[in-house]
Amino acid sequence: MTAAEGNRGLPEEAYAAALASVPQMGPATLRLLLATDAPSAAWSRSSFPGDVARIWQRHEEKGIEVCWHGGPGYPARLESDPDAPAVLFCQGDPAAVSTHPTVALVGSRSPTRYGIGVAAQFGADLAALGVSVVSGLALGIDGAAHEGATASGAPPIAVVAGGLDDPYPRRNARLWARVAEQGAVYSESPAGVRTEKWRFPVRNRLLAMLSDVVVVVESRHRGGALYTAEAAAARGIPVGAVPGSIRSPTSEGTNGLVADGCFPVCGVDDILTALSLRGVLLPGAAAGATGAGPGVGPGSGAGLDAVSGGGAEYTGPDRALFEALSSDPVSLDHLARVTGMELPALCGGLERLARDGVARDIGGWWERT
């Protein structure tokens, strides 16, 4: 049987995936190919080599949804952007990005402890208030934001650079799976595509497109998060930045953004104000999550691995973290040694426990309430 015969009866999504899988196919060329034709017609007209059925099978086996500009399931918020991806791949619920307000929390891959804590706090509080946190699943600020956001509330949204069949970085593979289970992980790259450097700036513009507001938590003077801020500003999307010490290299970029006119973010309330000024209304907001500071304001705790007892019983990493706490305040270093958790996961777990009302932060030290 020839490849053409094997391709018969395949859906349009299969041809969209095949077009995106053509070697050296860039976003602009792909948009041009699909500007006037359906994916199957564009494939036939272009005479590209490749086995469409085999490419489609690879995506089906990995549970990867495929949609194209103008086709079913394509995010409505991307439709009018002239730079929108022609083909989009998704693990999770493709509609997740359309159900709640969205805020991107982005920043350095080598953040300070302060930046990690802020990102985890903002992620937890925004999710509890019904705001989907958008980030890149990278190490550092991105991962901390999603660690905080994957407890309860609005579905988390991730945008990655490589194919969805190969989580990158590997250290965030479990976090990737949680985001896909609770929300969605998007990419412009088909399965089998390596995570190459040039794909990250391209990914950053999609982060901006999917967000109602963009917040840079920490960034160096030339940090990659500034590409996201630039893409957002070009589209009229509000950009906020968390101010930092003038002595900290990881705050050079954010302090520069504030100096250039971006709104300063000193708490979640500043982000909510930016949303309201855009006319974006929150769905039924969970009570208690505010920008007052780390660990302030218990939330509902719904969606945690907690099962009962007002936070008395947990499973998984939150159980180990809860048991490591006592009425005597302990440092983050102590908790990291006892639980074996990396700092982003640790801060995300502490923010979940704080929102559930069973832990609190006292000047950087944590205790069980």
Side-chain angles (χ1 to χ4, degrees):
M1 183 173 63
T2 66
E5 291 172 332
N7 294 340
R8 290 174 184 170
L10 292 175
E12 291 292 332
E13 290 84 354
Y15 292 94
L19 285 168
S21 299
V22 173
Q24 308 304 317
M25 177 68 74
T29 304
L30 192 54
R31 275 196 301 274
L32 187 62
L33 282 171
L34 294 175
T36 56
D37 290 331
S40 58
W43 178 266
S44 299
R45 181 165 54 84
S46 303
S47 300
F48 286 121
D51 189 335
V52 179
R54 181 173 297 177
I55 293 170
W56 179 236
Q57 181 181 15
R58 181 192 304 157
H59 288 80
E60 283 195 308
E61 288 175 350
K62 297 295 183 178
I64 299 173
E65 302 279 348
V66 183
C67 56
W68 72 97
H69 196 283
Y74 193 85
R77 63 171 67 230
L78 298 179
E79 289 281 1
S80 61
D81 195 301
D83 201 27
V87 179
L88 197 59
F89 300 88
C90 175
Q91 275 185 334
D93 181 6
V97 76
S98 304
T99 59
H100 292 73
T102 54
V103 170
L105 296 177
V106 295
S108 173
R109 286 178 172 80
S110 302
T112 64
R113 180 179 294 177
Y114 162 77
I116 288 176
V118 168
Q121 176 199 341
F122 284 0
D125 287 351
L126 287 170
L129 287 163
V131 177
S132 285
V133 171
V134 183
S135 203
L137 271 177
L139 298 176
I141 295 298
D142 289 22
H146 272 141
E147 286 285 1
T150 52
S152 63
I157 306 297
V159 184
V160 299
L164 297 178
D165 58 329
D166 186 21
Y168 177 87
R170 292 296 177 89
R171 282 167 56 186
N172 278 353
R174 290 184 180 180
L175 178 60
W176 177 308
R178 293 209 310 273
V179 172
E181 180 182 359
Q182 298 175 23
V185 181
Y186 294 95
S187 178
E188 292 181 63
S189 302
V193 168
R194 293 185 298 110
T195 306
E196 301 166 295
K197 278 188 175 182
W198 70 267
R199 295 183 183 275
F200 286 97
V202 173
R203 180 277 305 269
N204 289 344
R205 98 197 187 293
L206 183 54
L207 274 168
M209 288 184 205
L210 292 174
S211 304
D212 294 313
V213 171
V214 169
V215 175
V216 184
V217 178
E218 274 190 328
S219 174
R220 293 178 180 270
H221 180 60
R222 296 182 181 274
L226 300 184
Y227 287 107
T228 306
E230 183 179 345
R235 291 165 172 78
I237 298 169
V239 178
V242 177
S245 169
I246 61 173
R247 294 190 174 97
S248 174
T250 55
S251 291
E252 288 178 351
T254 48
N255 289 342
L257 288 173
V258 172
D260 289 340
C262 295
F263 70 93
V265 179
C266 299
V268 170
D269 287 344
D270 295 321
I271 303 173
L272 301 181
T273 299
L275 286 171
S276 66
L277 289 174
R278 292 205 77 193
V280 178
L281 300 178
L282 298 182
T290 70
V296 178
S300 65
L304 277 172
D305 289 329
V307 291
S308 65
E313 295 185 14
Y314 295 87
T315 59
D318 287 334
R319 172 68 177 255
L321 186 53
F322 178 80
E323 291 182 344
L325 292 169
S326 70
S327 57
D328 295 323
V330 292
S331 67
L332 287 176
D333 288 338
H334 172 82
L335 291 172
R337 287 195 301 271
V338 171
T339 63
M341 298 171 69
E342 294 188 0
L343 194 56
L346 178 64
C347 289
L350 287 169
E351 291 299 335
R352 289 193 292 272
L353 297 182
R355 196 175 63 212
D356 203 37
V358 298
R360 64 183 174 188
D361 173 19
I362 304 175
W365 293 60
W366 285 82
E367 68 177 12
R368 190 188 299 180
T369 58

